[in-house]
């Protein structure tokens, strides 16, 4: 029994090493003094300093945050509406088709999403003259669409768990359906909204492929800048940047997970 | 009407001139091919506690949801205080509902939960505050105003739910299994409190329950439901002592049913030949039946007598053997196998600590009942 559990531990450890060794080495090398990425020249935070003096990277980071913020916000609105319709109006016919369609972007190759969005934007510009060229707006629209798919999945799971009778109770006490939605439904699903927002935000921050398709001049996101820098050779400040991003993303994921857990515990208590 | 109950007449349903407060006329609700509520007609009078009693899936909850407006009737009419409720959405109806799950708003404090209905009506803040305070003391939850629902026990949640549904002074309060989630002891206490509160406010209650004991203690009248229909309406006493069908007799309390055939039909008595019981049964009153008709005779276990010696003062007696004895504390239940092969249950209250030990397993016993203890059921 004991040897078996030791074996299990070994396998688990190997798995974690496999997953996290590359990231760990990147984090370690971000503190490398040497300009050569593969040679250890002693500990230093030099590249972090360099990073914060690079206007190109700072600009791209700011653009990325703006895009992520706006697209995540749009995504949870669309996601909430979609999941509300899917869960609450259970009787309408196209339900299963629609719920499949909303989750399709989760499994669709990003290249295809990016390409199709690009074609759509070009066509729209030709027909209705909007959006004028590609840039910030088109990336936000693109990120909102796939963010909404993820948001819908998260919010749906919360809505399914929600006790319908509390909405009925509010109606019974004189609240019209719209009022019920804002007074009762929204506050109850709020934890799911927060985690959906964080998820969409993180996804938008990470995205390279779709952004590359629908971006235009002057709207390079952070991943795009990193990618173009790396193509010219890996520079140590990219390591530093990647470390910061890893930190932020894991923070986001942890907060989202904690949120979900807490709301789950609360609903179990009821 | 000083204390909410009509003083002149405690039983408005016996008064042909009384106007029902709630009238349900031929109400039908179908879900696809399934008929949940089947042409139900019902009159409930002001100040009543009316219980809809039935097993799960009998349509009682659907009927309640039709009254509250959460379901739309397929056919029929609901009239509350003279107003037809057709097309009136739940938020505009002057009914309030207490949900089985209590349905308290989890993100609001007790106080805010109770105030919600008044807030939606746009009442001034000061008035809301006083009414909430009054309501909290009525349900004895004074110290709990700022608690959240998940900090309350089941019984406390039940009180908050009741307070919330009463605060708008509804014309009709609909209660869905109001005590279902409470344990037995708490349920008994709460039953009487519920009656006290109802009497002090004079609100008409319609209660849905599957618990016959709850229905018996709470209600002024009971409507027994089966398969979407109301099979009998009456006071708890009427329902228990004079059931009109095998279903009602069997559903409310336990009962011994003797199947038989009317062999002699006289003005003042009837003889029923029942091969099941092995004898002819004498019924001391005429019934609206014909000779040869198949009927069932219902006798409640507590109305049966049991003895080792022949019960000579009784007309209807049978012989048998004690198969089982269940000691329940307040009473003992005997299962007797009659010589005819039928099993009969008899209950005797344990008035003294030492009685009944004379009767034991495999004893030969005589059972019997007073002439008027039986009810003849033709349906």
């Amino acid at each position: 029994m004991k040897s078996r559990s030791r074996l299990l531990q070994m396998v688990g450890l190997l798995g974690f090493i496999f997953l996290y060794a590359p990231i760990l080495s990147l984090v370690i090398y971000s503190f490398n003094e040497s300009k050569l990425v593969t040679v250890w020249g002693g500990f230093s935070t030099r590249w972090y300093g360099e990073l914060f003096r690079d206007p190109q990277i700072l600009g791209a980071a700011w653009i990325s945050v703006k895009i992520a913020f706006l697209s995540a916000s749009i995504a949870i609105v669309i996601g909430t509406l979609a999941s509300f319709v899917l869960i609450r109006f259970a009787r309408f016919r196209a339900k299963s088709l629609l719920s499949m369609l909303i989750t399709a972007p989760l499994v669709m190759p990003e290249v295809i999403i990016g390409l199709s969005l690009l074609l759509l934007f070009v066509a729209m510009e030709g027909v209705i003259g909007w959006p004028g060229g590609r840039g910030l707006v088109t990336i936000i629209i693109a990120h909102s669409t796939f963010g909404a798919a993820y948001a819908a999945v998260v919010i749906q799971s919360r809505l399914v768990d929600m006790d319908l009778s509390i909405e009925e109770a509010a109606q019974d006490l004189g609240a019209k359906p719209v009022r019920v939605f804002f007074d009762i439904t929204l506050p109850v699903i709020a934890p799911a909204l927060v985690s959906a927002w964080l998820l969409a935000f993180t996804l938008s921050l990470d995205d390279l492929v779709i952004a590359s398709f629908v971006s235009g001049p002057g709207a390079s996101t952070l991943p795009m800048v990193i990618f173009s820098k790396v193509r010219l050779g890996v520079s140590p400040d990219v390591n530093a940047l990647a470390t910061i991003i890893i930190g932020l993303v894991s923070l986001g994921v942890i907060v989202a997970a904690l949120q979900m857990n807490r709301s789950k515990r609360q609903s179990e208590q009821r | 009407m000083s204390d909410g109950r009509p003083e002149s007449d405690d039983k408005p349903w016996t008064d042909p001139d009384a106007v029902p407060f709630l009238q349900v006329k031929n109400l039908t609700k179908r879900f696809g091919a399934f008929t949940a509520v089947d042409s139900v007609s019902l009159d409930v009078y002001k100040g009543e506690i009316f219980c809809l009693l039935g097993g799960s899936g009998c349509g009682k909850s659907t009927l309640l949801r039709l009254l509250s407006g959460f379901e739309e009737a397929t056919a029929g009419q609901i009239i509350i205080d003279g107003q037809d409720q057709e097309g009136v959405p739940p938020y505009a109806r002057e009914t309030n509902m207490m949900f089985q799950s209590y349905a308290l708003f989890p993100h609001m404090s007790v106080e805010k939960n109770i105030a919600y209905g008044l807030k939606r009506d746009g009442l001034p803040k000061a008035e809301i505050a006083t009414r909430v305070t009054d309501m909290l003391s009525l349900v004895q939850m004074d110290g709990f105003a700022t608690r959240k629902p998940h900090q309350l026990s089941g019984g406390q949640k039940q009180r908050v739910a009741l307070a919330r549904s009463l605060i708008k002074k509804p014309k009709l309060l609909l209660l869905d299994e109001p005590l279902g989630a409470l344990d037995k002891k708490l349920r008994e206490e709460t039953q009487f409190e519920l009656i006290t509160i109802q009497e002090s406010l004079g609100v008409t209650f319609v209660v849905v329950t599957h618990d016959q004991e709850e229905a018996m203690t709470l209600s002024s009248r009971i409507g027994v439901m089966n398969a979407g229909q109301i099979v009998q309406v009456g006071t708890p006493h009427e329902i228990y002592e004079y059931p009109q069908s095998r279903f009602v007799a069997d559903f409310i309390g336990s009962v011994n049913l003797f199947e038989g055939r009317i062999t002699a039909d006289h003005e003042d008595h009837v003889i029923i030949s029942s091969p099941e019981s092995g004898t002819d049964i004498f019924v001391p009153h005429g019934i609206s039946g014909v000779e040869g008709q198949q009927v069932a005779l219902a006798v409640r276990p507590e109305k049966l007598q049991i003895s080792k010696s022949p019960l000579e003062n009784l007309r209807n007696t049978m012989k048998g053997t004690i198969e089982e004895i269940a000691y329940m504390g307040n009473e003992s239940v005997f299962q007797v196998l009659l010589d005819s092969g039928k099993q009969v249950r008899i209950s005797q209250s344990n008035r003294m600590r030492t009685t009944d030990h004379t009767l034991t397993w495999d004893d030969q016993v005589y059972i019997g009942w007073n002439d008027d203890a039986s009810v003849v059921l033709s349906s």
Side-chain angles (χ1 to χ4, degrees):
Chain A
M1 201 60 209
K2 197 164 182 191
S3 67
R4 200 175 135 199
S5 76
R6 187 159 294 165
L7 186 72
L8 273 176
Q9 279 174 1
M10 286 282 292
V11 172
L13 194 68
L14 269 175
F16 272 103
I17 290 173
F18 181 72
L19 279 174
Y20 287 99
I23 295 175
L24 198 69
S25 70
L26 185 140
V27 172
I28 292 168
Y29 273 108
S30 75
F31 295 104
N32 189 359
E33 167 70 38
S34 163
K35 198 174 166 52
L36 295 164
V37 186
T38 46
V39 181
W40 183 254
F43 181 85
S44 141
T45 52
R46 166 182 163 200
W47 300 112
Y48 286 87
E50 209 120 299
L51 193 66
F52 287 107
R53 282 188 292 276
D54 185 339
Q56 195 198 1
I57 283 188
L58 287 182
W62 178 232
I63 287 172
S64 270
V65 169
K66 268 197 291 193
I67 290 171
F69 185 88
L70 286 170
S71 65
S73 307
I74 297 169
I76 61 163
V77 173
I78 299 173
T80 307
L81 292 176
S83 16
F84 199 75
V85 170
L86 284 173
I87 302 293
R88 284 291 183 271
F89 303 93
R91 264 176 278 184
F92 85 100
R93 244 174 243 176
K95 189 194 165 187
S96 57
L97 179 70
L98 216 89
S99 86
M100 222 170 68
L101 283 178
I102 189 118
T103 49
L106 265 60
V107 288
M108 200 93 82
E110 283 182 311
V111 180
I112 292 175
I113 298 178
L115 187 63
S116 58
L117 280 165
L118 175 63
L119 290 174
L120 176 76
F121 289 141
V122 172
M124 273 170 68
E125 199 182 344
V127 178
I128 58 169
W130 186 88
R134 262 129 352 257
L136 217 58
V137 177
T138 47
I139 302 178
I140 291 171
I141 295 173
H143 283 184
S144 305
T145 53
F146 82 84
Y150 285 89
V153 172
V154 174
I155 297 165
Q156 269 187 61
S157 71
R158 184 84 184 101
L159 270 179
V160 167
D161 288 343
M162 187 177 165
D163 181 8
L164 259 179
S165 61
I166 70 168
E167 285 180 358
E168 287 182 343
Q171 245 195 74
D172 187 57
L173 291 165
K176 291 182 181 155
V178 176
R179 187 86 225 189
V180 174
F181 180 77
F182 285 105
D183 277 2
I184 308 298
T185 318
L186 265 192
V188 170
I189 64 169
L193 294 186
V194 172
S195 37
W197 190 91
L198 286 170
L199 188 63
F201 184 86
T202 317
L203 286 167
S204 164
L205 217 55
D206 283 352
D207 172 66
L208 169 67
V209 179
I210 295 173
S212 308
F213 273 99
V214 298
S215 168
S220 294
T221 63
L222 196 55
M224 287 165 72
V225 170
I226 297 172
F227 192 65
S228 62
K229 267 175 164 292
V230 172
R231 266 195 301 197
L232 303 174
V234 182
S235 73
D237 57 344
V238 170
N239 282 349
L241 181 62
T243 305
I244 293 174
I245 292 174
I246 289 166
L248 287 177
V249 169
S250 16
L251 197 73
V253 170
I254 289 167
V255 171
L258 285 180
Q259 268 291 343
M260 271 314 250
N261 257 344
R262 212 185 66 184
S263 65
K264 208 173 216 169
R265 261 209 314 279
Q266 262 181 17
S267 66
E268 271 162 12
Q269 264 174 21
R270 257 166 246 143
Chain B
M1 225 178 72
S2 58
D3 62 356
R5 282 224 157 172
E7 281 168 12
S8 55
D9 194 357
D10 234 9
K11 292 177 176 169
W13 52 88
T14 55
D15 177 2
D17 295 330
V19 181
F21 190 65
L22 162 70
Q23 283 173 285
V24 175
K25 292 179 181 169
N26 299 318
L27 199 65
T28 299
K29 174 68 188 177
R30 284 191 203 95
F31 295 105
F34 175 69
T35 307
V37 173
D38 190 359
S39 191
V40 164
S41 293
L42 192 66
D43 287 338
V44 176
Y45 297 84
K46 197 167 173 62
E48 271 202 81
I49 299 186
F50 191 95
C51 273
L52 289 165
L53 178 63
S56 58
C58 72
K60 57 189 194 304
S61 290
T62 309
L63 183 51
L64 203 70
R65 291 176 63 81
L66 285 163
L67 292 176
S68 62
F70 290 124
E71 302 285 352
E72 255 178 85
T74 313
Q77 221 181 358
I78 298 168
I79 298 166
I80 299 171
D81 200 12
Q83 285 169 320
D84 192 339
Q85 299 294 311
E86 189 174 348
V88 181
Y91 53 83
R93 285 200 189 189
E94 286 172 281
T95 60
N96 279 137
M97 180 141 159
M98 194 184 133
F99 290 80
Q100 183 175 10
S101 61
Y102 306 141
L104 298 178
F105 308 133
H107 57 293
M108 293 186 198
S109 63
V110 165
E111 202 172 28
K112 290 217 169 98
N113 261 286
I114 298 175
Y116 189 79
L118 298 179
K119 246 181 166 171
R120 290 286 72 76
D121 285 357
L123 262 66
K125 267 192 180 152
E127 196 191 332
I128 294 179
T130 36
R131 277 173 72 174
V132 169
T133 315
D134 291 350
M135 193 48 84
L136 276 170
S137 63
L138 182 73
V139 298
Q140 297 165 29
M141 289 287 289
D142 306 77
F144 295 89
T146 54
R147 295 264 189 109
K148 286 280 183 71
H150 66 88
Q151 294 169 307
L152 301 176
S153 71
Q156 291 166 338
K157 281 185 197 166
Q158 192 262 356
R159 284 153 193 270
V160 176
L162 182 66
R164 190 181 66 180
S165 56
L166 279 171
I167 195 131
K168 288 183 78 176
K169 298 179 183 148
K171 286 185 169 173
L172 202 61
L173 184 68
L174 309 166
L175 301 99
D176 191 1
E177 306 269 0
L179 310 172
L182 305 181
D183 58 60
K184 194 172 186 305
K185 193 98 188 150
L186 200 56
R187 202 159 59 213
E188 282 169 4
E189 287 167 23
T190 316
Q191 274 171 5
F192 293 107
E193 277 174 23
L194 206 57
I195 298 173
T196 316
I197 290 173
Q198 191 268 345
E199 282 178 349
S200 71
L201 296 178
V203 176
T204 310
F205 278 25
V206 175
V207 182
V208 152
T209 180
H210 69 274
D211 183 343
Q212 40 145 323
E213 218 172 291
E214 190 174 312
M216 298 292 253
T217 30
L218 280 180
S219 46
S220 56
R221 285 188 305 152
I222 297 174
V224 183
M225 285 192 78
N226 183 30
Q229 291 177 319
I230 293 199
V231 288
Q232 189 174 352
V233 175
T235 61
H237 181 255
E238 284 166 1
I239 296 274
Y240 189 78
E241 300 293 351
Y242 307 102
Q244 285 165 0
S245 60
R246 287 181 180 87
F247 176 80
V248 175
D250 201 30
F251 188 76
I252 316 286
S254 51
V255 74
N256 296 300
L257 288 173
F258 298 97
E259 298 288 339
R261 203 172 281 282
I262 301 175
T263 50
D265 182 13
H266 299 284
E267 194 89 332
D268 62 341
H269 74 275
V270 178
I271 303 288
I272 294 167
S273 144
S274 167
E276 256 190 347
S277 70
T279 71
D280 285 352
I281 298 169
F282 177 87
V283 180
H285 52 78
I287 57 169
S288 55
V290 289
E291 238 168 80
Q293 192 185 343
Q294 184 76 33
V295 292
L297 194 92
V299 190
R300 299 276 182 204
E302 75 276 8
K303 297 203 166 54
L304 282 169
Q305 294 177 25
I306 183 167
S307 168
K308 276 194 194 170
S309 52
L311 296 156
E312 274 157 2
N313 56 337
L314 298 180
R315 241 189 293 230
N316 297 311
T317 65
M318 293 147 201
K319 245 177 81 180
T321 319
I322 296 183
E323 271 191 332
E324 291 288 348
I325 303 173
Y327 176 73
M328 329 261 282
N330 59 338
E331 59 171 18
S332 293
V333 177
F334 300 93
Q335 185 172 300
V336 172
L337 182 69
L338 297 181
D339 292 350
S340 60
K342 185 173 172 61
Q343 282 177 339
V344 177
R345 305 185 97 194
I346 301 149
S347 67
Q348 282 205 321
S349 61
N350 297 327
R351 285 202 202 89
M352 279 174 280
R353 279 193 179 164
T354 49
T355 53
D356 297 335
H357 295 304
T358 51
L359 289 172
T360 181
W361 282 267
D362 297 329
D363 272 358
Q364 291 284 324
V365 289
Y366 294 87
I367 65 147
W369 63 86
N370 282 323
D371 287 350
D372 60 356
S374 62
V375 180
V376 179
L377 306 169
S378 50
S379 59

